[in-house]
Amino acid sequence: MSAARKPKEPELNRTSLLMAASQEFASRGLQGARLEEIAREANITRAMIYYYFGGREGLYLAALEEAYRDIRASERAIDLTGLGPVDAMRRLAQFRIDYYVENPLMVALIAIENQQKAQHLKNSKEIQARAEHSLQPLASVLQQGQAQGVFRTGIDVVELHQIMVSLGMFNVSNQYTFGAIFERDPSSPAQLARTRELACEVVLRFLFVV
């Protein structure tokens, strides 16, 4: 009589797992997230999470890295061909508004990491190594505008990036409190259109030669 075969472990679908993890961490926080629920959603065993990621914090860091990886890839995929520096900068500013609206899980993960004082992010070689590289699309448009005399010199590209991120993140992270206080729905099509224009106006006024 042949020995009973051991049940085969389900295959790891990394994309599915990281999406399930992002949703659970965003909903319940770093410590409140349930690994059993993440494993169930990803159709794997909890043991596989420990095998591939070492546990809760390793999985959380992997989800955070994936979030940064996605936004960088999305920004680099923007087609700026044929655009002058002003229109190209408009497109980058609008991208920041739309991306965070379409990817609220990233906003939630960043909020968690700020609560953790970036202790996990600081341990990510990938995020740290790609920080400067991620600014290249923005820096390229900035330099083009400066070369044409459209944008003023002396601009710190990190500060410019900060302005864009702040406008986009605030629109999602504070949508409920800000909306309740001022009785506006930041997610409505009309308000989003206004926010896009506001972002462009703020960024371009910061950049234009006086």
Side-chain angles (χ1 to χ4, degrees):
M1 184 176 179
S2 60
R5 292 183 178 180
K6 183 179 179 180
K8 186 179 179 180
E9 285 278 6
E11 293 185 4
L12 176 67
N13 184 322
R14 185 180 176 88
T15 300
S16 176
L17 173 60
L18 294 182
M19 175 57 69
S22 296
Q23 291 173 339
E24 183 70 7
F25 286 126
S27 177
R28 299 180 180 275
L30 177 57
Q31 299 304 325
R34 300 168 299 181
L35 297 187
E36 296 87 350
E37 181 63 19
I38 295 173
R40 186 187 68 79
E41 286 291 328
N43 193 33
I44 62 171
T45 64
R46 174 171 170 157
M48 290 180 70
I49 293 177
Y50 282 91
Y51 178 79
Y52 285 101
F53 299 96
R56 177 188 305 275
E57 296 198 354
L59 178 59
Y60 162 75
L61 179 56
L64 187 66
E65 288 176 334
E66 181 69 11
Y68 276 99
R69 196 177 298 127
D70 184 79
I71 192 171
R72 288 168 178 168
S74 297
E75 186 170 36
R76 294 188 68 83
I78 299 173
D79 186 8
L80 302 177
T81 305
L83 295 181
V86 172
D87 287 337
M89 193 63 72
R90 279 182 170 274
R91 185 161 294 181
L92 290 175
Q94 291 170 346
F95 164 80
R96 285 285 161 176
I97 299 299
D98 291 334
Y99 185 89
Y100 293 122
V101 169
E102 295 166 4
N103 296 272
L105 290 181
M106 182 181 192
V107 178
L109 290 176
I110 291 175
I112 292 172
E113 189 59 13
N114 274 291
Q115 292 173 350
Q116 301 295 317
K117 299 183 179 179
Q119 62 175 325
H120 302 90
L121 187 150
K122 290 175 182 177
N123 291 326
S124 171
K125 294 181 180 179
E126 177 181 339
I127 295 177
Q128 295 289 329
R130 294 178 180 269
E132 185 174 349
H133 184 69
S134 68
L135 295 174
Q136 285 184 356
L138 182 60
S140 178
V141 175
L142 175 62
Q143 290 165 7
Q144 181 186 3
Q146 289 172 330
Q148 295 181 14
V150 178
F151 299 151
R152 62 188 177 88
T153 58
I155 299 293
D156 185 332
V157 70
V158 174
E159 292 179 350
L160 176 58
H161 176 68
Q162 179 181 352
I163 291 172
M164 290 184 172
V165 171
S166 299
L167 290 166
M169 291 277 288
F170 179 90
N171 194 52
V172 177
S173 63
N174 291 56
Q175 62 177 313
Y176 298 112
T177 52
F178 196 79
I181 293 170
F182 296 103
E183 298 182 344
R184 292 186 179 182
D185 180 7
S187 64
S188 72
Q191 189 59 47
L192 276 175
R194 174 59 188 141
T195 301
R196 290 188 196 98
E197 287 305 309
L198 175 64
C200 292
E201 185 175 354
V202 169
V203 168
L204 291 175
R205 283 181 179 271
F206 175 69
L207 291 172
F208 281 153
V209 174
V210 178

